Amino acid sequence: MRYVVLALGILISLHFILSLTHESYGRVTGMDTIKTKLSGKGSNVPPYKVAVPDKYYVKENATTPELVNAAIVMLARNGDISGVMTSIKQFEDRFNKKFHYPYVLLNEVPFNDDFKRRVTEVTDSKVEFGLIPREHWYQPDWVDEEKASKARKAMADAKVIYGGSLPYRNMCRFNSGFFYRHELLKPYKYYWRVEPDVKFFCDLDYDPFRIMEDGNKLYAFTISLYEYEATIPTLWGAVKEFVAKYPELLAEDNAMAFISDDSGQTYNRCHFWSNFEIASLDLWRGEAYSKFFEFLDEKGGFYYERWGDAPVHSIGAALFAKKDQIHFFSDIGYRHEPFQHCPQGNAHKKGKCWCDEKDNFDYEWYSCLNRYDKMFT
């Protein structure tokens, strides 16, 4: 859903600068060595620095390879049609016209006929349009509206980005705990989240879903950064309560080091920017994350504060997946205003990327990619 535009993106950048501390393809089967490389096991370098084996690449004019059980997911409104068309057309041209993965588009109101017509004309893939159940979208009745409205006003007065927006909070809660429960997504195991008005810079001639499945990956990203602290003042306290109550649900060799610099005592505010994510739906459907979301939801922080799905997903992935099950797709060029990941070096050339290599967020001082790297070194 197009909730970020350039003007607001500039505000986000300013908020980050003010609030952050300066801290420092044919299917390949039966190939254990390749799976070891994709999983990152037995290596002291981040998994993304191991090149994708050539056999994963689809040759020009090759027949459509066998697909993984996956879908492309987009949350959008009828008024987002221009941005939706921009994103899907680029996504098709860079990747999906070679693979034909299905699309699932979701909206809290029915999509109109013009929206459906325009989307289905730009792709040969199957497209399904879903209506979000009311109970999954709107603020629940048990939320104290007087308390919530006071919090919205206080954040708006403090000029917190989307601080006064109730629809934004509905969206964050839906993406955190409900999108993967939608009837249209029940048949699928993996998803790729795409939003209106994003850019894909590079040709992608292999299937990231195949990397996820063969490498036993559960979550993947392209951009990571610090969360705006004013939106989540009590989130980490709730996380610590949950961990103390359910320590058995944490994965062994998890990615706690990505989100905390002191073994979980405090949150360093690092998160994966969830407007792009390729992930296993089973990660969210599992017992650990299900209990985690329900625990957080009962706290009311999606409405009494402004908890975003990005930190909630990121903390969930860091706690309930092994660190080598979280993957950085370094060769997928991507922009969501105001930040972008532009592949570097040979990956830029191989992908015929049209972004400027110098305009790359990876190791800006408010990026968290260095913390991801440190987990493997």
Side-chain angles (χ1 to χ4, degrees):
M1 182 173 292
R2 186 173 56 188
Y3 287 100
V4 178
V5 295
L6 179 58
L8 292 176
I10 294 171
L11 289 176
I12 294 175
S13 299
L14 292 174
H15 280 313
F16 284 145
I17 292 170
L18 291 172
S19 67
L20 300 179
T21 55
H22 222 319
E23 300 185 56
S24 336
Y25 214 163
R27 180 167 184 176
V28 182
T29 58
M31 300 181 68
D32 292 338
T33 56
I34 287 179
K35 290 188 178 184
T36 297
K37 287 182 179 180
L38 291 175
S39 69
K41 295 176 181 177
S43 173
N44 62 351
V45 298
Y48 72 89
K49 293 188 177 180
V50 178
V52 174
D54 287 341
K55 289 188 177 182
Y56 277 82
Y57 283 82
V58 174
K59 306 302 181 183
E60 188 174 357
N61 300 321
T63 57
T64 301
E66 182 181 351
L67 300 184
V68 175
N69 183 18
I72 314 306
V73 178
M74 179 179 283
L75 184 62
R77 289 172 168 159
N78 288 303
D80 294 326
I81 185 59
S82 179
V84 168
M85 295 297 288
T86 297
S87 295
I88 292 181
K89 180 58 177 172
Q90 289 191 52
F91 189 78
E92 286 289 312
D93 290 348
R94 304 281 87 78
F95 167 72
N96 204 42
K97 67 182 180 183
K98 297 184 284 287
F99 294 91
H100 303 296
Y101 275 102
Y103 290 87
V104 175
L105 280 80
L106 302 176
N107 191 352
E108 79 267 27
V109 300
F111 287 108
N112 62 42
D113 290 340
D114 183 65
F115 187 102
K116 293 179 181 179
R117 176 188 61 80
R118 293 186 64 185
V119 170
T120 53
E121 284 180 353
V122 80
T123 177
D124 293 327
S125 296
K126 177 183 177 181
V127 183
E128 294 184 283
F129 299 93
L131 179 64
I132 297 169
R134 182 177 180 84
E135 63 272 19
H136 288 179
W137 183 261
Y138 292 98
Q139 177 177 295
D141 293 339
W142 54 261
V143 170
D144 182 338
E145 173 54 21
E146 181 179 358
K147 180 179 178 180
S149 62
K150 286 181 179 178
R152 292 196 300 272
K153 184 179 186 306
M155 283 196 180
D157 290 345
K159 302 190 185 308
V160 174
I161 190 77
Y162 305 121
S165 174
L166 178 56
Y168 188 84
R169 287 170 168 81
N170 290 337
M171 180 271 291
C172 290
R173 180 172 177 263
F174 173 76
N175 279 330
S176 294
F178 294 100
F179 86 93
Y180 52 89
R181 308 185 199 190
H182 197 281
E183 286 293 325
L184 293 180
L185 286 175
K186 285 186 176 179
Y188 298 107
K189 184 176 180 181
Y190 296 95
Y191 72 96
W192 184 334
R193 176 172 163 182
V194 174
E195 293 201 353
D197 254 337
V198 298
K199 293 183 175 69
F200 293 97
F201 294 118
C202 311
D203 292 345
L204 190 61
D205 296 322
Y206 69 87
D207 184 351
F209 290 122
R210 182 63 60 199
I211 301 302
M212 299 293 288
E213 185 170 72
D214 283 3
N216 192 29
K217 307 293 186 182
L218 294 180
Y219 190 89
F221 68 100
T222 57
I223 294 172
S224 61
L225 68 168
Y226 294 91
E227 180 60 298
Y228 184 34
E229 189 170 17
T231 65
I232 54 164
T234 68
L235 175 58
W236 193 250
V239 172
K240 290 174 69 175
E241 284 184 49
F242 180 85
V243 170
K245 186 175 182 179
Y246 301 105
E248 72 280 3
L249 294 180
L250 272 62
E252 294 183 8
D253 198 23
N254 59 48
M256 176 69 84
F258 176 74
I259 57 175
S260 177
D261 303 326
D262 50 19
S263 301
Q265 291 304 305
T266 60
Y267 179 33
N268 61 26
R269 305 196 309 280
C270 280
H271 67 283
F272 307 115
W273 220 23
S274 61
N275 47 72
F276 174 107
E277 54 187 14
I278 302 175
S280 167
L281 287 158
D282 289 342
L283 174 61
W284 314 132
R285 293 166 177 160
E287 177 189 10
Y289 186 81
S290 295
K291 286 185 175 180
F292 179 64
F293 172 75
E294 290 169 6
F295 187 89
L296 295 184
D297 199 30
E298 289 174 0
K299 297 291 185 181
F302 291 103
Y303 295 100
Y304 302 143
E305 296 177 11
R306 205 222 66 188
W307 294 356
D309 57 277
V312 171
H313 272 194
S314 301
I315 293 169
L319 296 182
F320 309 129
K322 296 180 179 181
K323 67 182 183 183
D324 61 23
Q325 292 179 305
I326 299 174
H327 187 71
F328 171 47
F329 276 110
S330 61
D331 50 1
I332 298 180
Y334 173 78
R335 182 178 184 90
H336 184 300
E337 296 293 348
F339 304 122
Q340 74 180 35
H341 165 67
C342 186
Q344 303 290 292
N346 186 59
H348 192 277
K349 181 179 179 180
K350 191 168 187 176
K352 302 180 178 65
C353 304
W354 56 276
C355 53
D356 183 351
E357 286 180 89
K358 295 187 293 295
D359 186 2
N360 181 41
F361 184 71
D362 289 1
Y363 294 106
E364 295 291 336
W365 70 271
Y366 43 102
S367 168
C368 288
L369 185 61
N370 60 339
R371 295 181 185 274
Y372 174 82
D373 289 349
K374 287 177 182 177
M375 293 195 299
F376 300 94
T377 56

